[in-house]
């Protein structure tokens, strides 16, 4: 395949041009690398290399101004803003930067398109005067300030551009305008021929410069446009080139170089609809595998990313056999882990507080670059500190609190949580210190952390730039403004890849493909909102004013991408176009109009198919833990110490949970209870009731006894919350609501007792929170087995003994009823409550034989109106008898089921098998 660059060089060489004396001007620097490569194939003798520069470099040379970064332009603009704005009306830098960025873009457009400044700014001011919303003669301050802003635009512009020119710097548009001012002088003093190649959308300044050079016979232009696009008056790929051909006087008498016919040549085009972005990345990897079998070196093959966020997924999907690769776009600095560290630091310090939220603290202490700094010999103090925060429910902590709980490393804590003082310079210095501390730690590990050291170097450079800007301009006064500028700088910084620019696979963005040709092209994310990018109006200049002044709108921006898209197809022989089938308004909509246009043109045949991801099928096997001799020994030890009713019901729910918790000792992850958890509130209610009823054990209760408990509710709830919730704050927010609910639960329970007593019932407390442990006679096992548990309350109600279990959650009568004894160990949800309360009844009877019949049941604080929910044995048939009294026979039936369950748990031949959820 002969590229456009090769054709241009061949044409010039055939015409006898001395290539060494020419100046080649290209849309981008990258194209220059390929031009030098093609030069070696066209010229068969040794020559001096011609001058090869990008259009930006050429214009800077003409204007004798240097471009500076967007961030520095913003600082310069703020100088002009302060100079022209009364002190009492001045905005802080952070809020100024939000609208100033947009205004600078407008200044840039106005200058690039050589719009008379006075005219457009006066026009904008007049429009805003006409369409402001106030109909009153006496305008409000809001309206006055609004109109004053538009009147000042011209003053801002003139002061700002004058200041920049005096420093020999400028933004792109200003440089272009100055270049146009100087082009005639340049033509008078220069004799070198300029070759412009591969341009498409030119702004007015570029058009003026090129046409002046053409008129002075100091230039030649080579367009790269296909006849299909330029001859079709509505095809957007030829929108700009048709305009140049029609409007430039030079082409009235001179040939138009070139119109080609490559697009109509036979091509293999595949249009692939792929669900989601990761699906596209994986599909690109699959396509590359196929291409590699036919073209092992992947010569003249490019992956063009419509959405550059796909870079990392695509790199991870490229086959490992591809060893030569060139990536033209850099890896965003904002995507590396160190960026998140400084973002967290700025985020917590811009809040004016000396206390920090525990999640922010844990996030910082857990960060991969900070955690190692707390390692002391074999101990990691960061982990210890995190555990203390969780254990003590510390929601907000000061630096003093952190130092109290931390054993050593106070210097790092000081650096992270103190000394920032909402001061920008101090914050930058702290960031330098943190980078140095991390560097010192990494250097000890030498080559293991070369990439991390590179990260540190780049961030050190970034903070040096922040320091320089603030020293020069002194506009960053607080951490909030510093954070804003930090993010602005970070967004434009990248880590550049090293690769083979002329060999192997090329991975690039759409704009980087300018002037370049490839035989095989894979284009991703060809969706509306991505290619083309769609309507966006990040400008203060209204749409109709842009039209009137021939400024670019979204239509022209779409036409730019249309040209690049079709240009990639022009000389290519194999084209793979991928789009996301799952429309997403945030990351792109339906398939692009470019695909629909390809289908309607009818020039090429193509294969259009929807790809379905290859989802591996997994045979989900339930986990099984084989009972080894060691496990059996552990089970014997657990049996000797005693099974609790909750651990046994845990086994019925899922044997694997029993194995993890009882044998491996794995507990649920502890986290800070920012708001009181249900189990914590349950503990508090249990403990409070025990404390209130303790003085009345063995005594028949009277109404006065219960009433005497009420004044003690508040103090008891407070005391037990302090015990269970450690240093957690109960005085505000959701915790205060939970605190009040706990009080209400206890009060409602006492009122229920009072109603019972007033109704003539008798209640006598026998035991409270009785910790019980009994041996079990299971001869089949041949070793000691115990059952243990804590019974919340045992009382006599009208002479009948009741075993009571408190539940702060909701329980209804159906959960304490059983039909068939054999079902008890099979359905956790239905029978776990019955199993537990019968276990308590069995244990109490084993310790001291009870006077049968007895009752056992639950009092549910969320269903208190139902009263005491008694265990019930129902007959099989609907509407059959219901027996609520527990006899020795009931306990004997229960013991048989209990024995079966424990034998199964301890049986070496019955493994722990996971239950299906």
């Amino acid at each position: 395949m002969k590229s456009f660059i090769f054709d241009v060089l061949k044409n010039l060489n055939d015409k006898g041009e001395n290539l060494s004396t020419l100046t080649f001007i290209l849309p981008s620097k990258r194209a220059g690398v390929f031009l030098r490569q093609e030069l070696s194939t066209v010229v068969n003798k040794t020559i001096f290399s011609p001058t090869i520069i990008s259009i930006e470099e050429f214009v800077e040379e003409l204007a004798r101004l240097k471009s500076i970064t967007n961030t520095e332009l913003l600082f310069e603009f703020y100088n002009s803003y302060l100079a022209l704005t009364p002190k009492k009306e001045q905005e802080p830098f952070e809020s100024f930067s939000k609208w100033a960025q947009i205004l600078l873009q407008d200044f840039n457009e106005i200058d690039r398109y050589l719009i008379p400044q006075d005219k457009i700014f006066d026009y904008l001011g007049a429009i805003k005067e006409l369409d402001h919303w106030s109909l009153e003669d006496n305008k409000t301050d809001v309206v006055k300030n609004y109109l004053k802003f538009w009147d000042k635009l011209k003053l801002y512009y003139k002061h700002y551009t004058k200041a920049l020119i005096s420093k020999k710097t400028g933004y792109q548009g200003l440089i272009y305008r100055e270049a146009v001012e100087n082009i005639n002088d340049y033509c008078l003093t220069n004799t070198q021929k300029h070759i412009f190649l591969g341009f498409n959308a030119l702004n007015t300044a570029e058009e003026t410069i090129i046409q002046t050079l053409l008129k002075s016979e100091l230039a030649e232009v080579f367009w790269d446009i296909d006849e299909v696009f330029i001859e079709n008056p509505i095809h957007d790929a030829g929108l700009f080139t048709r305009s140049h051909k029609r409007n430039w006087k030079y082409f009235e008498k001179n040939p138009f170089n070139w119109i080609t016919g490559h697009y109509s040549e036979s091509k293999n085009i595949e249009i692939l609809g792929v669900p989601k972005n990761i699906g596209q990345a994986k599909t690109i990897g699959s396509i590359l595998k196929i291409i590699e079998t036919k073209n092992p070196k992947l010569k003249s093959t490019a992956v063009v990313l419509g959405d550059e966020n796909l870079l990392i997924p695509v790199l991870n999907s490229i086959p490992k056999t591809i060893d030569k690769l060139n990536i033209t776009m850099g890896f965003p600095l904002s995507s590396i882990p160190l960026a998140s560290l400084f973002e967290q630091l700025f985020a917590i310090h811009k809040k004016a507080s000396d206390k920090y939220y525990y999640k922010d603290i844990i996030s910082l202490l857990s960060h991969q670059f900070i955690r190692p700094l707390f390692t002391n010999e074999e101990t990691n103090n960061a982990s210890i500190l995190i555990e203390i925060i969780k254990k003590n429910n510390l929601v907000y902590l000061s630096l003093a609190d952190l130092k109290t709980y931390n054993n050593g490393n106070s210097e790092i804590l000081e650096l992270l949580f103190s000394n920032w003082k909402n001061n920008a310079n101090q914050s930058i210095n702290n960031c330098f210190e943190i980078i140095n501390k991390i560097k010192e730690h990494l250097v000890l590990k030498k080559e293991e952390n070369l990439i991390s050291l590179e990260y540190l170097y780049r961030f050190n450079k970034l903070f040096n730039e922040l320091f320089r800007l603030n020293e020069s301009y002194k506009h960053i006064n607080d951490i909030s403004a510093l954070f804003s500028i930090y993010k602005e700088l970070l967004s434009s910084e990248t880590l550049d890849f090293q690769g083979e620019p002329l060999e192997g696979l090329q991975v690039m963005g759409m704009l980087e493909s300018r002037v370049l040709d490839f035989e095989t092209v894979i284009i991703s994310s060809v969706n509306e909102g991505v290619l083309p990018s769609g309507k966006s109006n990040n400008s203060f200049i209204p749409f109709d004013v842009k039209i009137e002044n021939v400024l670019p709108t979204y239509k022209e921006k779409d036409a730019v991408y249309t040209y690049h898209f079709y240009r990639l197809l022009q000389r290519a022989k194999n084209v793979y176009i991928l789009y996301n089938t799952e429309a997403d308004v945030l990351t792109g909509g339906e398939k692009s109009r470019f695909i629909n246009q390809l289908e309607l043109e009818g020039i090429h045949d193509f294969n259009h198919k929807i790809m379905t991801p290859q989802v591996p099928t997994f045979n989900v096997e339930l986990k099984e833990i084989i009972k080894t001799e060691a496990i059996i020994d552990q089970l014997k030890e657990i049996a000797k110490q005693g099974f609790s009713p909750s651990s046994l019901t845990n086994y019925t729910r899922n044997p694997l949970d029993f194995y993890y918790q009882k044998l491996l000792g794995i507990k649920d992850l502890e986290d800070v209870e920012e708001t009181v958890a249900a189990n914590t509130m349950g503990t508090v209610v249990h403990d409070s009731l025990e404390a209130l009823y303790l003085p009345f054990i063995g005594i028949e209760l009277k109404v006065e006894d219960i009433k005497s408990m009420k004044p003690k509710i508040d103090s008891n709830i407070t005391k037990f919350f302090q015990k269970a919730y450690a240093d957690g704050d109960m005085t505000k927010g959701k915790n205060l609501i939970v605190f009040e609910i706990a009080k209400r639960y206890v009060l409602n329970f006492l009122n229920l007792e009072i109603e019972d007593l007033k109704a003539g019932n008798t209640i006598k407390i026998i035991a409270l929170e009785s910790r019980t442990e009994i041996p079990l006679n299971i001869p089949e096992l041949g070793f000691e087995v115990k059952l243990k548990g804590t019974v919340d309350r045992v009382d006599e109600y009208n002479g009948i003994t009741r075993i009571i279990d408190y539940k702060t959650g909701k329980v209804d009568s159906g959960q304490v009823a059983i039909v068939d004894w054999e079902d008890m160990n099979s359905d956790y949800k239905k029978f776990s409550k019955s199993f537990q309360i019968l276990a308590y009844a069995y244990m109490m009877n084993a310790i001291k034989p009870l006077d049968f019949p007895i009752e056992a049941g639950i009092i549910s604080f969320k269903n208190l109106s139902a009263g005491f929910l008694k265990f019930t044995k129902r007959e099989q048939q609907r509407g059959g008898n219901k027996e609520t009294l527990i006899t020795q026979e009931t306990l004997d039936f229960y013991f048989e089921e209990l024995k079966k369950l424990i034998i199964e748990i301890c049986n070496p031949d019955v493994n722990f098998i996971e239950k299906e959820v």
Side-chain angles (χ1 to χ4, degrees), residues 41-96:
T41 62
V42 171
V43 180
N44 53 14
K45 61 181 180 179
T46 303
I47 65 168
F48 285 104
S49 175
T51 303
I52 302 171
I53 57 175
S54 68
I55 185 68
E56 280 82 11
E57 290 171 316
F58 178 60
V59 170
E60 281 186 18
E61 185 186 324
L62 278 178
R64 295 188 285 277
L65 297 176
K66 280 286 176 189
S67 62
I68 54 176
T69 64
N70 287 337
T71 308
E72 190 155 2
L73 287 168
L74 200 59
F75 278 83
E76 286 285 356
F77 189 27
Y78 195 52
N79 277 348
S80 295
Y81 169 78
L82 294 177
L84 297 171
T85 309
K87 195 167 185 65
K88 63 179 181 180
E89 296 176 17
Q90 290 172 2
E91 292 184 24
F93 183 77
E94 186 183 6
S95 53
F96 159 84

Side-chain angles (χ1 to χ4, degrees), residues 391-393 676 680 683-684 687-688 714-731 739:
K391 187 176 178 181
N392 292 283
N393 289 314
V676 178
T680 303
T683 302
V684 170
D687 291 348
S688 298
D714 199 294
S715 60
N716 276 286
I717 293 286
T718 302
K719 179 174 76 173
F720 290 114
F721 260 125
Q722 286 172 349
K723 180 182 173 183
Y725 196 49
D727 294 331
D729 187 0
M730 297 300 304
T731 61
F739 179 82

Side-chain angles (χ1 to χ4, degrees), residues 644-662:
S644 68
S646 60
S647 68
L648 293 172
T649 54
N650 203 20
Y651 179 87
T652 63
R653 182 180 66 203
N654 191 343
L656 221 58
D657 289 346
F658 176 89
Y659 170 74
Y660 289 145
Q661 292 178 16
K662 296 300 290 181

